[in-house]
Amino acid sequence: MESARPGGAPPGAGPGSFPPLFPPGLHGIYGECRRLYPEQPNPLQVTAILKYWLGGPDPLDYVSMYRNLGNPALNVPEHWHYVSFGLSDLYGDNRVHEFTGTDGPSGFGFELTFRLKRETGESAPPTWPAELMQGLARYVFQSENTFCSGDHVSWHSPLDNSESRIQHMLLTEDPQMQPVQTPFGVVNFLQIVGVCTEELHAAQQWNGQGILELLRTVPVAGGPWLITDMRRGETIFEIDPHLQQERVDKGIETDGSNLSGVSAKCAWDDLSRPPEDDEDSRSICIGTQPRRLSGKDTEQIRETLRRGLEINSKPVLPPINTQRQNGLNYDRAPSRKDSLESESSAAIIPHELIRTRQLESVHLKFNQESGALIPLCLRGRLLHGRHFTYKSITGDTAITFVSTGVEGAFATEEHPYAAHGPWLQILLTEEFVERMLEDLEDLTSPEEFKLPKEYSWPEKKLKVSILPDAVFDNPLH
């Protein structure tokens, strides 16, 4: 990307007017920016050197950067306001996004914004947030999974490449920018909010919206407009220790978690049959080439995750033959396409792999980060009558834990372990979940144990291993 330079509306574009060559999809977005910043018609911009539709690596055509004076009456500090252009359809000629009409979303239906606290004496906005936004945009374009308010993004690195504790992100509606209608559909504005690791974990254990509300109540941690301060050295739980117990823990107990699935490093083995019996049984092993999920299975996993986020709906696993088009998400990310399977995957599935198989004994394998979410899965999901899915990022393997209150699962109390090709379902009773939580208590402090770590329940014929990342990254070793 280029360095920051004057941008905004092209020369000669006065209020309400645009040159003939000005992309019509920008009219509404620029109009909303001009409404907020009438005194800044030509803000600094970071621009993609080679546009994405010409083969460049950066999906965002540009990122505009505005100086926002804040609102002293609301205790909102002065800050830099970044707005992306490119996740929505700017051109309407199918060069980037498929034009589907004016009534639905424009492109992916949203643009990203970011509010960064202005440091004393800072005369120009830092440009690193533009690259951060490009990174998120690349994920959206490559996976075609969109973001929604309340989503979280595990970044695992200071957002500005410093030593900051702000290493992850939540997403929420921008507090000032309103949805706009463009000639190519509707555009919403999702704001990136930088958070600490402890706040990310709380969002995973409970829900993103709950943590966002807590951040709004703590001025130094975001305040009402959720402004990111990269110099913040304390989490909201260190600033106000009562928030953890009185709000988060109580929220988890009352509401459970709305995180219904994650992309993860995981695998499973069918220990019911000898390894050589591969004709009727499928052992998803590290070190073997996983077979592809069928199209029907892929759709059901997508629908499983979508349904899990509808808190007020009855938890239901949809039937195997569902044909709905929904995306497998990390937190809440519906998809515009079948990003989990190749075009030919459904065609190469042998008929015997489509059958549901009851397994007698299974071995589950997770890396440390994925394993640390098992208590969340059990306490925040299954004890609330819900389900939780791990989808492998290195293959087509999927593992779904279900409770007895979930309808439509092919795992049953009589046969609690069942597989549909490489998709495994495990049904756990409330009594067994409580026992597992006791046995897996040290997973909540993973830094205190060495890998590999194994847990076993022989009478249940279930084994769980927590393994180093290298085992999943180099499965043949």
Side-chain angles (χ1 to χ4, degrees):
M1 297 186 71
E2 292 181 359
S3 59
R5 62 172 180 78
S17 66
F18 297 90
L21 297 179
F22 190 62
L26 278 82
H27 292 199
I29 303 173
Y30 265 127
E32 182 64 11
C33 291
R34 284 201 306 271
R35 182 185 68 81
L36 290 181
Y37 303 105
E39 76 290 353
Q40 300 179 58
N42 294 294
L44 287 175
Q45 286 185 335
V46 176
T47 307
I49 296 175
L50 183 64
K51 297 295 189 247
Y52 190 74
W53 41 274
L54 293 175
D58 298 320
L60 302 177
D61 280 28
Y62 30 82
V63 175
S64 289
M65 302 177 286
Y66 296 90
R67 184 170 177 171
N68 191 303
L69 298 180
N71 188 328
L74 298 177
N75 202 18
V76 175
E78 189 172 348
H79 58 278
W80 304 110
H81 192 194
Y82 301 76
V83 182
S84 77
F85 294 81
L87 284 160
S88 62
D89 190 352
L90 305 181
Y91 303 97
D93 56 7
N94 297 315
R95 73 177 73 179
V96 178
H97 300 279
E98 180 183 356
F99 176 56
T100 57
T102 60
D103 295 334
S106 169
F108 287 105
F110 69 97
E111 293 290 353
L112 293 170
T113 73
F114 183 62
R115 295 175 185 266
L116 177 67
K117 183 180 178 182
R118 178 178 174 267
E119 301 296 336
T120 302
E122 206 169 42
S123 60
T127 58
W128 62 261
E131 181 53 41
L132 181 74
M133 297 166 90
Q134 287 285 11
L136 293 178
R138 280 190 287 270
Y139 163 77
V140 172
F141 271 79
Q142 290 165 11
S143 68
E144 298 215 8
N145 290 332
T146 62
F147 291 125
C148 296
S149 179
D151 284 357
H152 71 264
V153 179
S154 304
W155 200 251
H156 299 290
S157 177
L159 304 188
D160 60 352
N161 294 316
S162 67
E163 300 300 318
S164 174
R165 293 185 70 178
I166 308 300
Q167 302 188 7
H168 308 281
M169 291 166 272
L170 297 178
L171 290 150
T172 188
E173 297 93 349
D174 189 283
Q176 288 187 295
M177 302 192 74
Q178 302 298 316
V180 297
Q181 177 70 54
T182 77
F184 312 129
V186 177
V187 181
N188 293 284
F189 297 93
L190 283 180
Q191 180 176 317
I192 301 164
V193 182
V195 296
C196 303
T197 298
E198 295 82 354
E199 293 154 358
L200 171 82
H201 289 166
Q204 291 175 327
Q205 298 285 334
W206 183 23
N207 60 69
Q209 296 290 7
I211 299 305
L212 288 165
E213 287 304 313
L214 296 186
L215 290 167
R216 288 187 177 96
T217 67
V218 182
V220 298
W225 290 6
L226 293 169
I227 295 165
T228 298
D229 180 0
M230 294 303 297
R231 296 190 178 185
R232 175 160 67 97
E234 293 182 299
T235 72
I236 56 174
F237 308 116
E238 292 168 334
I239 296 170
D240 185 353
H242 296 291
L243 291 179
Q244 178 69 50
Q245 183 175 4
E246 295 179 4
R247 298 292 299 275
V248 178
D249 291 347
K250 184 175 293 185
I252 295 171
E253 181 181 350
T254 303
D255 306 328
S257 171
N258 73 343
L259 180 63
S260 64
V262 294
S263 297
K265 293 184 178 180
C266 63
W268 61 271
D269 287 339
D270 174 7
L271 303 181
S272 310
R273 302 175 184 271
E276 64 273 9
D277 187 7
D278 191 49
E279 191 65 33
D280 186 53
S281 172
R282 177 59 187 148
S283 178
I284 306 299
C285 305
I286 296 175
T288 62
Q289 180 65 32
R291 297 186 184 179
R292 293 188 180 278
L293 286 170
S294 72
K296 292 181 179 180
D297 286 343
T298 300
E299 289 304 321
Q300 186 177 356
I301 292 175
R302 290 194 180 99
E303 186 72 355
T304 293
L305 296 181
R306 189 189 72 85
R307 291 290 185 89
L309 291 165
E310 295 177 357
I311 303 302
N312 296 322
S313 66
K314 190 172 183 180
V316 176
L317 284 174
I320 292 294
N321 62 358
T322 180
Q323 293 298 316
R324 295 193 181 189
Q325 300 287 329
N326 288 288
L328 178 68
N329 48 41
Y330 183 70
D331 190 341
R332 191 176 191 272
S335 174
R336 299 194 309 174
K337 72 159 193 169
D338 297 343
S339 58
L340 298 181
E341 62 173 327
S342 72
E343 294 179 358
S344 60
S345 64
I348 64 173
I349 298 295
H351 180 267
E352 62 268 17
L353 289 182
I354 301 301
R355 271 186 334 205
T356 298
R357 297 176 293 107
Q358 284 79 43
L359 314 180
E360 294 297 323
S361 179
V362 294
H363 181 193
L364 310 181
K365 303 174 183 180
F366 303 94
N367 74 334
Q368 186 168 333
E369 183 178 5
S370 302
L373 291 175
I374 297 178
L376 154 68
C377 160
L378 300 177
R379 180 179 292 110
R381 298 294 297 178
L382 269 65
L383 287 183
H384 289 265
R386 300 171 187 166
H387 45 76
F388 189 89
T389 294
Y390 287 94
K391 170 66 177 66
S392 173
I393 61 175
T394 58
D396 285 323
T397 306
I399 302 169
T400 296
F401 292 88
V402 299
S403 68
T404 53
V406 175
E407 298 179 357
F410 46 78
T412 64
E413 288 194 58
E414 183 180 1
H415 299 288
Y417 313 133
H420 213 71
W423 182 16
L424 174 70
Q425 285 188 9
I426 299 177
L427 187 145
L428 302 176
T429 63
E430 183 175 338
E431 180 182 6
F432 188 30
V433 167
E434 296 283 7
R435 179 183 166 190
M436 289 181 70
L437 282 170
E438 293 181 7
D439 295 341
L440 299 171
E441 185 175 2
D442 57 347
L443 281 180
T444 58
S445 303
E447 66 280 356
E448 297 179 5
F449 64 84
K450 295 182 179 180
L451 301 179
K453 182 80 172 180
E454 185 173 293
Y455 305 88
S456 182
W457 298 270
E459 76 285 1
K460 297 290 187 179
K461 299 182 179 179
L462 175 64
K463 183 164 64 173
V464 174
S465 293
I466 310 299
L467 304 171
D469 279 20
V471 176
F472 299 87
D473 298 335
N474 301 287
L476 297 181
H477 293 87

